[in-house]
Amino acid sequence: MRDGQPHAIYLKDYQAPDYLIEHTTLDVDLGEDETRVRASIRFNANPEGKGKRELTLDGGKDLDTRSIAIDGRKLSHNEYKIEGETLTLFEVPEQFVLETEVLIKPQDNMALSGLYKSGDMFCTQCEAEGFRHITWYLDRPDVLSEFETTITADKSAYPVLLSNGNAVAREDLGDRHRVTWHDPFLKPAYLYALVAGDLEHIEDHFVTMSGRRVTLQIFTEAHNIDKVDFAMESLKTSMRWDEEVYGREYDLDIFMIVAVDSFNMGAMENKGLNIFNTSCVLAHPETTTDAAFQRVESVVAHEYFHNWSGNRVTCRDWFQLSLKEGFTVLRDQQFSCDQWSPSVCRIEQVQMLRSAQFPEDAGPMAHPIRPPSFIEINNFYTATVYEKGAEVVGMLATLLGPDAFRRGTDLYFDRHDGQAVTTEDFVQAMIDASGADLDQFQTWYHQAGTPEIEAKGHYDAVAKTYTLTLRQATPPTPGQSEKKPLHMPITLGLVGECGSDLVFDIEGCSAREIKGPDGYSRVLELRESEQVFVLTGVTSKPIPSVARHFSAPVKWIIDYSLEDLAFLSRHDSDGFNRWEAGQRLAIHLIDALERGNDGVSCDEASAMFLSVMTHHLKEALNVADSDVDGAGLAYNLSLPGLAFLGELRAEINVDSLVKARNAVKRMVADRCFDELSAVLEAALSDDSFAMTAEAVGRRALVNVCLDYLLASQRDEAVAIAERVYRGADNMTLWAGALRAVVGSELPSAPAARAWMLEDFYARGQKDALVMDLWFSIQAASGREGAVERVKALMAHPDYTLKNPNRMRSVIGAFAGQNVSGFHESTGAGYSLLADTIIELDRFNPQMAARMLGPLTRWRKYGAARGGLMKAALEKIQAQAERSPDVFEVVGKSLSDA
Ligand code: PHE
Ligand code: ZN
């Protein structure tokens, strides 16, 4: 594809394959110089195909083809054609066995797609289109085959040889050995996996609901074997949860996870043999922050849940990616909410949505959760497909209610087991199981952009009614100027004067009720551009609590008074909306400061905001007696992030925005210094490390307090951070203290920074993920001189572009989190990113294209910065050798559409 213009493919052009594959036998002989792959593939004409007897297979330029035979007869050169990345067989029978032999060089594969080496081990990554780099194949998800794999390799370098399914034969060949694996479940090639290495493993087992005993194994290199117990626990918890909540039982006798250092993404759900980025499976108190522990738990669950949502029922084509990803993300989110505090989980999900998905949906790469076209599918593993996709399935669950939703998922799994299906099939199962009218709801699958909803309310004290008017509109996105109104659930509560929820009715509609121990909500269904809901039986003047638990992925415009927000932040029965009210207050204040509004409104907003912060700090001082847990309070105390704040503005002025947010942070730090220190002291514990909600909450409070204290003007804060660091026995506090000190401008910060960085670096020498953190904390620091610091980090001997985790820890942290550094006014940050992307694109196009994200929104940064960002994109575009991945993102970013 590097020659000529890459072209788009369209969903509307989908055609069923002319051939299906019944059986695939692979014989993989692994070598240091070359690897020999012999494939024997049994093809049958597809009754649903168009009857063509010419067959084109997918491959890569990296396949060195040695022989091609059909039904045992070697083909001569005029019977086939290899052109670019395809192999065409001119005339094939209705049924035949194709035998091919190719040589590949996994050791040179730096794109990390197909068969490659991660350190000393061999591993594979086949989603989306990696299998074609292993052998010629019909590499598309609607072709499902049985697989048998024989792996031969050096016995001492690769004592462990793994593939999908069950090991059915082993053979000792002296210096080498051979293992054969058979997977009885039909699967598309993207779920294929192979691993060979010198690995250790831990083993456990799980007894399924029907009483079958499943062996569970987690493999890592020897130096990491002490860090996989938590993942094993998470796996067992996930397996039980999926039985209890979705009625899904595991199907093979063995389930394996392998940890690899070099991996483009988080992890991969290969049938029976999940392959994980070490960052998503290793966990140990001394190397792993609480957030990373929780990520391990949720990714283990996510990949395990794919066994049903993705593997047993898979996607017809890659346009349907959200069918498996959106649904599986929702499942892992529900799982996490069941393990920890549901409102804290929801806050984290929404922060992610707002900081990553909303910007994407408002930029040049905006696409519906089911895109109509793409150039490179790897560019569509996006926050939209994943996170917004999860929101869309989550809205179905809210609209239908838990029982009907479960009937729908049961029907979906039952009806489509073993099939490759579409998002329409999913929604149809929901309709058939519930009788709900979801025609209009389907629009969520093909309309891009984040809807904006304006809410206006009016209380009539005489009639005891509250009238709520909702007006929705979705801004245009590239290629979609006209937008339709969407159907969505709005979970609404009314908070009465004394702070508790009012019970109410709705005129002319039967909105589902949600009753909690001290909460009352109803699920309104919004369908029109403008819709009026008359709530009756409202006994006193309420404050509306709109979209509890963030019931729809939209932006809200609600004209709350400062008093309303302060009230809600204390009393709303919905933990998410309590946090949300505080965020709105903070946004209000930051906006006022940035606009340089008259002193009065700034003073008023500051006073109100400080009173709310003081309230939360009081609660936090006695977290054991508060009804909010520590993690929830830590979020209530945190300011909205720069990414989300930027998203709320038509044009982002980096300087004034950063300045305004910093001013609020410093104000809280200075005015509440004593309260913050007191909360910190109270939350520091002498107990040894525990991974419980209570302990996680306390550490979260320590870190949020440190973050403020080090932004104050009192130098003694540095000593507090040093004491926390010295007294800690876990990575959450070490990283929290280091981050706060690295970002601090206080006079004694440089000295503290020096010894802490040195100490942290020493820890990192024993653990690559700690070293990643050492890099990322520095790359994300917004202190003066960021570009030079990042350049120095990139020149560090422990830095490499070749390992995606290390690359992301510097480039990703710098361009994604370091707003003031990356947007440094000379444009030096943009040039640094552009040059790095150009280099990265020579060997790992997927990663190169992902790193483009921060540049794509150049139009939002005003003429000066926007122009420099655009120039950086143009420099990348001018490269002769750019991948289709980069071509697509840069092209869309620069186009006028
Ligand atoms: N399918 C993986 C997941 O979401 C993600 C992935 C995609 C991994 C492509 C590697 C390559 O669970
Ligand atoms: Zn997934």
Side-chain angles (χ1 to χ4, degrees):
M1 278 268 239
R2 286 203 176 212
D3 27 52
Q5 296 283 25
H7 58 272
I9 68 162
Y10 294 87
L11 168 60
K12 63 176 165 46
D13 295 340
Y14 172 82
Q15 284 185 356
D18 288 316
Y19 277 81
L20 298 175
I21 297 178
E22 189 181 321
H23 194 279
T24 304
T25 309
L26 295 175
D27 183 341
V28 182
D29 194 330
L30 298 168
E32 300 311 318
D33 299 327
E34 59 190 29
T35 288
R36 185 174 304 267
V37 181
R38 290 194 194 85
S40 169
I41 308 168
R42 192 178 317 141
F43 286 93
N44 293 321
N46 181 7
E48 268 146 49
K50 292 218 303 286
K52 245 177 41 196
R53 293 294 166 259
E54 184 187 273
L55 179 62
T56 297
L57 301 179
D58 308 299
K61 292 225 182 67
D62 30 18
L63 301 182
D64 175 2
T65 306
R66 290 313 172 96
S67 82
I68 303 173
I70 286 184
D71 292 330
R73 186 179 66 81
K74 211 173 156 182
L75 297 193
S76 59
H77 286 291
N78 55 7
E79 291 174 286
Y80 68 89
K81 176 177 75 188
I82 293 180
E83 201 174 53
E85 295 169 341
T86 58
L87 161 62
T88 301
L89 306 166
F90 293 134
E91 181 80 53
V92 289
E94 277 206 23
Q95 302 192 336
F96 65 98
V97 174
L98 173 74
E99 288 166 285
T100 60
E101 182 177 324
V102 302
L103 297 179
I104 53 178
K105 292 187 183 298
Q107 69 277 14
D108 295 341
N109 178 353
M110 299 297 153
L112 314 187
S113 165
L115 178 64
Y116 66 94
K117 286 200 94 173
S118 169
D120 292 331
M121 65 202 273
F122 285 97
C123 63
T124 53
Q125 175 49 48
C126 294
E127 188 178 2
E129 298 177 335
F131 192 78
R132 62 187 62 185
H133 299 288
I134 300 175
T135 195
W136 293 107
Y137 208 71
L138 271 183
D139 190 6
R140 45 188 287 171
D142 56 354
V143 172
L144 286 76
S145 167
E146 193 177 334
F147 280 79
E148 183 172 290
T149 303
T150 300
I151 313 166
T152 309
D154 184 275
K155 206 163 59 189
S156 62
Y158 309 100
V160 175
L161 303 177
L162 309 173
S163 189
N164 318 81
N166 307 303
V168 292
R170 289 175 196 277
E171 205 182 331
D172 196 320
L173 309 165
D175 285 351
R176 295 169 69 74
H177 67 151
R178 171 175 293 162
V179 181
T180 301
W181 290 81
H182 173 243
D183 182 358
F185 288 91
L186 303 189
K187 65 169 177 292
Y190 84 86
L191 291 172
Y192 178 81
L194 177 158
V195 169
D198 186 0
L199 303 174
E200 295 198 358
H201 73 275
I202 62 164
E203 184 168 313
D204 204 333
H205 71 274
F206 178 82
V207 179
T208 70
M209 59 186 179
S210 70
R212 280 189 314 101
R213 187 186 157 101
V214 180
T215 300
L216 311 176
Q217 297 176 326
I218 305 185
F219 293 82
T220 72
E221 288 171 288
H223 62 275
N224 284 327
I225 197 68
D226 61 329
K227 302 179 196 121
V228 286
D229 295 339
F230 181 77
M232 183 64 91
E233 284 311 307
S234 303
L235 175 59
K236 289 188 288 180
T237 315
S238 315
M239 294 177 87
R240 187 63 72 214
W241 187 91
D242 212 17
E243 291 184 344
E244 286 169 356
V245 180
Y246 280 90
R248 298 296 112 199
E249 185 176 3
Y250 186 61
D251 46 16
L252 283 161
D253 296 333
I254 181 166
F255 185 84
M256 298 171 282
I257 290 178
V258 180
V260 305
D261 275 322
S262 293
F263 201 75
N264 284 343
M265 310 278 275
M268 180 62 209
E269 70 263 23
N270 317 301
K271 184 77 187 187
L273 178 56
N274 287 186
I275 296 182
F276 273 61
N277 187 322
T278 45
S279 72
C280 292
V281 59
L282 303 182
H284 185 281
E286 289 173 21
T287 54
T288 313
T289 62
D290 293 343
F293 263 93
Q294 289 173 333
R295 175 148 168 85
V296 167
E297 182 182 72
S298 77
V299 179
V300 168
H302 178 97
E303 305 311 331
Y304 173 72
F305 296 158
H306 268 315
N307 191 58
W308 274 96
S309 49
N311 302 4
R312 289 286 289 255
V313 183
T314 195
C315 300
R316 188 192 72 174
D317 52 71
W318 290 119
F319 299 102
Q320 318 298 328
L321 183 56
S322 200
L323 173 73
K324 75 175 176 80
E325 295 305 344
F327 185 25
T328 305
V329 171
L330 176 78
R331 278 150 55 68
D332 84 55
Q333 292 180 342
Q334 292 174 328
F335 167 78
S336 296
C337 284
D338 281 353
Q339 312 307 311
W340 305 92
S341 144
S343 39
V344 170
C345 271
R346 193 62 183 142
I347 289 167
E348 288 165 353
Q349 292 155 12
V350 173
Q351 280 188 330
M352 161 71 176
L353 194 73
R354 285 175 171 165
S355 64
Q357 199 277 324
F358 283 10
E360 182 171 274
D361 225 353
M365 282 293 288
H367 53 277
I369 62 171
R370 191 177 71 181
S373 73
F374 55 73
I375 293 177
E376 174 50 65
I377 181 56
N378 287 312
N379 287 331
F380 287 80
Y381 287 78
T382 58
T384 298
V385 166
Y386 276 66
E387 269 70 31
K388 186 176 181 180
E391 294 296 323
V392 170
V393 183
M395 286 192 287
L396 282 174
T398 309
L399 285 168
L400 267 48
D403 299 337
F405 183 68
R406 170 65 193 270
R407 286 200 303 279
T409 58
D410 281 352
L411 179 61
Y412 168 72
F413 288 128
D414 198 49
R415 187 184 269 175
H416 298 297
D417 189 8
Q419 298 178 359
V421 304
T422 63
T423 56
E424 280 95 348
D425 293 321
F426 183 82
V427 178
Q428 193 58 50
M430 290 293 153
I431 295 171
D432 294 344
S434 68
D437 171 7
L438 297 174
D439 283 355
Q440 187 191 357
F441 189 84
Q442 302 266 17
T443 305
W444 281 104
Y445 285 89
H446 31 253
Q447 184 164 292
T450 307
E452 292 170 4
I453 309 185
E454 204 183 322
K456 285 221 153 67
H458 169 73
Y459 182 60
D460 182 334
V462 179
K464 306 249 175 285
T465 57
Y466 186 81
T467 308
L468 182 71
T469 304
L470 300 179
R471 219 176 278 129
Q472 62 162 314
T474 304
T477 53
Q480 264 189 356
S481 46
E482 299 299 319
K483 301 288 182 179
K484 297 188 192 131
L486 292 150
H487 175 199
M488 68 187 92
I490 311 293
T491 304
L492 178 78
L494 295 181
V495 185
E497 274 155 347
C498 56
S500 50
D501 282 0
L502 303 176
V503 175
F504 59 95
D505 260 311
I506 302 165
E507 213 170 78
C509 70
S510 56
R512 194 162 70 80
E513 289 181 302
I514 302 179
K515 292 183 198 163
D518 39 38
Y520 181 87
S521 317
R522 304 199 66 154
V523 182
L524 308 182
E525 295 195 28
L526 177 64
R527 290 174 179 269
E528 313 296 330
S529 311
E530 181 174 327
Q531 205 166 331
V532 180
F533 296 90
V534 180
L535 317 179
T536 59
V538 184
T539 49
S540 68
K541 183 168 196 263
I543 302 177
S545 170
V546 181
R548 285 184 159 168
H549 213 60
F550 202 67
S551 62
V554 304
K555 293 181 187 167
W556 284 97
I557 305 155
I558 311 175
D559 60 349
Y560 284 119
S561 68
L562 296 178
E563 289 75 17
D564 288 350
L565 292 175
F567 189 82
L568 286 176
S569 76
R570 283 178 203 167
H571 300 295
D572 200 317
S573 66
D574 182 65
F576 176 84
N577 267 0
R578 247 185 342 257
W579 168 79
E580 180 82 327
Q583 297 288 295
R584 284 180 200 277
L585 259 184
I587 290 167
H588 196 95
L589 174 56
I590 293 168
D591 284 358
L593 284 175
E594 191 185 356
R595 281 194 312 264
N597 268 13
D598 59 292
V600 187
S601 73
C602 285
D603 291 350
E604 239 174 81
S606 304
M608 199 59 88
F609 183 64
L610 278 172
S611 80
V612 168
M613 294 306 258
T614 313
H615 167 81
H616 292 318
L617 283 166
K618 270 203 196 101
E619 297 254 312
L621 197 52
N622 265 309
V623 62
D625 302 332
S626 165
D627 12 305
V628 188
D629 64 357
L633 286 168
Y635 279 116
N636 287 346
L637 288 166
S638 304
L639 297 178
L642 286 168
F644 178 50
L645 288 168
E647 202 39 48
L648 298 173
R649 283 149 178 73
E651 187 177 307
I652 302 174
N653 180 332
V654 175
D655 307 297
S656 62
L657 174 60
V658 170
K659 195 167 153 227
R661 186 178 181 277
N662 282 346
V664 173
K665 193 167 164 187
R666 169 159 304 178
M667 176 189 79
V668 174
D670 285 332
R671 301 279 289 274
C672 306
F673 193 95
D674 297 332
E675 291 90 333
L676 286 161
S677 328
V679 169
L680 181 146
E681 299 304 338
L684 271 180
S685 90
D686 312 322
D687 321 345
S688 61
F689 179 88
M691 195 58 204
T692 58
E694 200 261 313
V696 169
R698 275 192 280 139
R699 289 189 289 269
L701 282 173
V702 172
N703 280 347
V704 76
C705 292
L706 278 178
D707 187 50
Y708 275 113
L709 292 172
L710 276 286
S712 76
Q713 305 188 60
R714 284 166 65 172
D715 200 36
E716 68 218 74
V718 177
I720 300 178
E722 292 184 287
R723 181 158 50 79
V724 170
Y725 189 100
R726 282 213 178 86
D729 66 352
N730 62 81
M731 186 44 73
T732 302
L733 294 184
W734 286 322
L738 178 65
R739 195 185 301 277
V741 167
V742 163
S744 177
E745 312 271 8
L746 288 169
S748 30
R753 200 144 58 219
W755 75 257
M756 279 189 195
L757 280 171
E758 197 180 319
D759 180 86
F760 204 98
Y761 179 75
R763 295 174 195 283
Q765 299 234 287
K766 286 175 263 145
D767 188 291
L769 299 172
V770 174
M771 192 62 92
D772 291 338
L773 204 48
W774 183 84
F775 276 104
S776 75
I777 287 173
Q778 296 179 79
S781 161
R783 251 182 325 110
E784 224 28 47
V787 175
E788 289 316 307
R789 270 204 314 280
V790 169
K791 283 186 179 158
L793 290 173
M794 292 176 74
H796 193 282
D798 290 305
Y799 182 75
T800 169
L801 266 187
K802 295 265 159 82
N803 176 285
N805 288 355
R806 190 58 49 85
M807 182 278 293
R808 274 186 286 252
S809 75
V810 177
I811 308 306
F814 172 61
Q817 294 164 39
N818 192 343
V819 175
S820 48
F822 176 61
H823 293 283
E824 199 253 80
S825 60
T826 62
Y830 310 144
S831 309
L832 179 59
L833 180 62
D835 293 342
T836 310
I837 287 173
I838 290 166
E839 195 183 334
L840 192 54
D841 195 35
R842 300 202 177 104
F843 57 89
N844 192 337
Q846 286 182 35
M847 286 297 100
R850 283 189 166 258
M851 290 301 114
L852 280 166
L855 285 174
T856 60
R857 305 230 47 214
W858 59 274
R859 284 191 174 85
K860 216 171 154 88
Y861 286 85
R865 283 194 171 87
L868 293 166
M869 293 169 86
K870 181 168 183 242
L873 285 167
E874 283 162 347
K875 178 171 182 191
I876 299 168
Q877 195 185 36
Q879 300 295 310
E881 287 265 308
R882 48 177 166 36
S883 64
D885 309 56
V886 164
F887 172 88
E888 177 172 34
V889 180
V890 173
K892 288 182 178 171
S893 303
L894 290 173
S895 98
D896 297 318

